[in-house]
Amino acid sequence: MSDLFTSAADATTGGPAGAGDARGALLAPLAVRMRPRSLDEVVGQRDVLRAGSPLRRLIEGHGGAAGPLSAILWGPPGTGKTTLAHLVAQAADRTFVELSAVTAGVKDVRAVMDHAVQERSLHGRQTVLFLDEIHRFTKAQQDALLPGVENRTVILVAATTENPSFSIIAPLLSRSVLVTLTSLDDEDVRGVVGRALADDRGLDGAFTLAEDATEHVVRMAGGDARRALTTLEAAAGVAADDRPAGREDDVTEITLAQVEQAVAQAAVRYDRAGDQHYDVASAFIKSMRGSDVDAALHYLARQLEAGEDPRFIARRIVIAASEDVGMGDPTALQTAVAAMHAVAQIGMPEARIILGQAVVHNALAPKSNAAYSAVNAAVADVRAGKGGPVPAHLRGSGYAGAARLGHGEGYRYTHDEPAGVGEQQFLPDDLAEADYYQPTSRGWEERLGPRWRELRRIIRGR
C-alpha cells in the first residue's frame, strides 16, 4: 500500500516522496512541473470552479451537513482533471491515493478502502481516491467502489474522457456529482505557455517564444494544456541544441521552424478566429455541395490539422446533409448525425476517420435543396403575416365545449380512406394554393416527385 500513497508525490517531484531532490524535480516533464498548486493558478473551467460550486467546495474542504461529495470529472485530455484531483487532496489534510483503471483492479480498490478506514479511525483524515480513466473499469470493478463512496470511506474523484452516461454505472453516478470540463480556449493556452516560459518551475526565463511560434503551439494544442506544454518543452530542446557554442547562458528565442521540427508538423495556414477559419469552412461546405470528394477531404484535413474542434466540423456536415443533400439521399443525414455523436464520444485522432466517411457520403450523394427551399418559403409566408385560422375540422376536439364550436366536425380520418389518403383541406384558406415543396428529379427524390404530385391531386381535389 505504501506505493499507492507515495505515487502523487513521486509524480510532482520526479523522485521519492519527501526526498526534496531538486535534480529529480527537473527530470519531471514540464507539464507535471507546471501543474497548478492552488485554485489561483488553475486556468479555464470558470463555470465549474465558480464560488459555491460543488467542485470548489470540495477543493476548499468545506464540511458541515452537506459533507464532501465524490465527483466524476468528464472532459477531453489536458483540461485539468488530474490537477483538480490533486487540489481536492490538499484540502483539510487529506490522504491522496492515485490509481489508474488501466492497471488497477478490485484488489487495489479494496486495499485503498481498508487503508482509508484506518486513516479515518486513527488519524481522523479523509482519503481521496483519484481513479483515472474510470471508463476502463468493468461493471463489477465499479461496483467495488460503491460501499466506500456511499459511506464516505473515501472521496472518489474519477476522471474520464468518455460520456459517463454510457461508461459509468448508474449507482455510482447517482452518488457523485458530475463535473463537465471543457477544452481551454486559445487565450487560456497562451497563458499556460507564457507562465511556463517565465516560471522557475518551468523554463525560468531561459527561452522566449516568437509570436508566430506561439500561435502554432496554441493551434496545435487544440485546447489541451498538456499538449501545449509538451510541444513547448520539445521545441525548447531543439532551440537549445541550435544555440551557438558559448551562448548557452543567453536567452534563446524559439522560432516557428524549431516548433515545427519538434512536432514534425508544418504550420497550417488557418486561423480559427479569423478569415481563414471562415474561408476554409466555406470551401469545405461548397466542395461537398459540389460533389468534389477530394476537395472536401482536403479542406477537412486542413481544419483538423490546424486544431479545429472536430465537433464544429461534424455540425457543419449535419447541416449540409439536410440543406444540400436532403431527400436526394435521406441516409446522408443519418450518417452525419451518427458521425456527430461518434465524434463527441471518441475524439481525435480517430474522429478523423468518422468525419471522412460522413464527408464522402455527403459529397457523393445526389443533391437536393428542395426541403430546405420549402421550409424557407413557408417561413417567409408566416413572417409576411399569411396563414389565417386553422380550418375548423382540424381543430382540437378533445375538450368540453369543442363540439359546440364545431371543432373537428367533418374531419376525415385518413386511415379510413380506401387509399390511406382522401380529399381534405389542411392549409388555412389564404394559403390553400401554397406549393412549397418542389421535388427534384435526382436520387431518392426522383421517386418522391410523382408520389407527392399524386397525393396533392387527391388531397386538394385537383
Side-chain angles (χ1 to χ4, degrees):
M1 280 303 297
S2 60
D3 290 342
L4 294 175
F5 285 83
T6 56
S7 60
D10 290 348
T12 55
T13 64
D21 185 355
R23 181 176 60 83
L26 292 176
L27 294 177
L30 180 62
V32 174
R33 304 200 307 269
M34 291 305 302
R35 180 168 289 151
R37 297 165 295 187
S38 68
L39 273 173
D40 294 336
E41 293 185 0
V42 174
V43 175
Q45 314 308 337
R46 298 171 187 83
D47 288 341
V48 299
L49 291 174
R50 67 187 184 280
S53 67
L55 183 58
R56 191 179 188 99
R57 285 177 53 81
L58 183 57
I59 291 172
E60 292 175 344
H62 292 290
L69 292 170
S70 291
I72 308 293
L73 306 182
W74 172 35
T79 52
K81 296 185 289 294
T82 304
T83 291
L84 293 171
H86 278 266
L87 293 178
V88 169
Q90 290 176 12
D93 189 29
R94 292 166 174 159
T95 299
F96 183 75
V97 186
E98 182 172 355
L99 295 177
S100 171
V102 176
T103 56
V106 172
K107 180 180 177 181
D108 300 303
V109 170
R110 288 175 178 161
V112 172
M113 298 296 177
D114 292 342
H115 198 279
V117 171
Q118 295 177 22
E119 287 287 294
R120 186 172 61 183
S121 301
L122 299 177
H123 308 292
R125 281 200 299 264
Q126 287 183 314
T127 296
V128 175
L129 170 58
F130 175 53
L131 182 58
D132 199 14
E133 299 198 67
I134 187 176
H135 56 271
R136 293 181 180 268
F137 260 12
T138 64
K139 180 180 182 299
Q141 289 172 315
Q142 292 183 35
D143 282 338
L145 295 164
L146 288 175
V149 172
E150 185 160 18
N151 298 327
R152 286 186 180 156
T153 303
V154 296
I155 301 170
L156 174 67
V157 180
T160 179
T161 56
E162 297 191 5
N163 190 329
S165 298
F166 302 105
S167 59
I168 299 178
I169 59 174
L172 193 55
L173 277 177
S174 69
R175 290 164 172 79
S176 311
V177 59
L178 177 61
V179 179
T180 303
L181 306 180
T182 57
S183 297
L184 305 186
D185 62 31
D186 287 353
E187 280 306 309
D188 287 336
V189 176
R190 286 191 192 94
V192 168
V193 170
R195 182 186 297 171
L197 286 166
D199 197 290
D200 58 5
R201 290 179 295 155
L203 301 180
D204 198 18
F207 296 88
T208 61
L209 195 60
E211 184 175 347
D212 55 353
T214 301
E215 292 308 306
H216 190 45
V217 170
V218 171
R219 187 165 58 241
M220 296 309 300
D224 183 332
R226 186 187 299 111
R227 185 187 300 173
L229 292 175
T230 301
T231 301
L232 174 63
E233 186 173 24
V238 174
D241 289 343
D242 289 345
R243 278 188 301 218
R247 303 287 297 273
E248 289 83 359
D249 293 334
D250 293 351
V251 175
T252 303
E253 182 181 65
I254 303 171
T255 66
L256 173 60
Q258 289 165 337
V259 173
E260 291 176 348
Q261 183 180 343
V263 298
Q265 194 159 10
V268 180
R269 294 183 180 179
Y270 183 90
D271 177 5
R272 284 195 289 161
D275 291 342
Q276 281 288 317
H277 166 84
Y278 297 104
D279 289 347
V280 174
S282 176
F284 172 59
I285 293 166
K286 289 171 181 172
S287 296
M288 286 191 294
R289 181 183 298 151
S291 299
D292 190 327
V293 178
D294 293 334
L297 289 171
H298 166 75
Y299 291 117
L300 169 65
R302 278 179 65 168
Q303 292 176 95
L304 292 175
E305 289 300 294
E308 183 59 83
D309 186 343
R311 294 170 298 181
F312 166 83
I313 300 172
R315 290 193 293 269
R316 304 281 75 74
I317 296 173
V318 170
I319 294 168
S322 192
E323 177 180 345
D324 295 320
V325 178
M327 295 304 293
D329 179 0
T331 64
L333 182 58
Q334 297 172 16
T335 298
V337 171
M340 180 175 65
H341 289 302
V343 164
Q345 300 299 322
I346 294 172
M348 290 293 289
E350 290 84 357
R352 77 189 189 286
I353 306 167
I354 299 159
L355 291 172
Q357 178 181 346
V359 165
V360 170
H361 192 154
N362 249 18
L364 294 182
K367 304 299 188 295
S368 171
N369 71 344
Y372 169 69
S373 299
V375 71
N376 284 347
V379 168
D381 275 353
V382 171
R383 289 177 177 174
K386 298 180 181 179
V390 173
H393 61 280
L394 297 183
R395 297 179 193 175
S397 57
Y399 59 93
R404 179 172 51 83
L405 297 172
H407 292 185
E409 185 177 340
Y411 172 66
R412 299 177 64 175
Y413 187 51
T414 294
H415 298 287
D416 290 340
E417 300 294 328
V421 64
E423 183 177 349
Q424 188 161 213
Q425 180 180 340
F426 290 97
L427 282 163
D429 291 342
D430 60 339
L431 291 174
E433 301 301 316
D435 203 5
Y436 300 131
Y437 183 49
Q438 298 288 334
T440 68
S441 58
R442 297 184 290 275
W444 179 259
E445 214 162 32
E446 183 179 12
R447 308 180 190 181
L448 295 182
R451 173 167 173 75
W452 171 227
R453 285 190 291 272
E454 177 62 15
L455 288 172
R456 187 168 50 197
R457 183 191 64 78
I458 296 172
I459 293 166
R460 301 186 185 181
R462 58 178 173 84

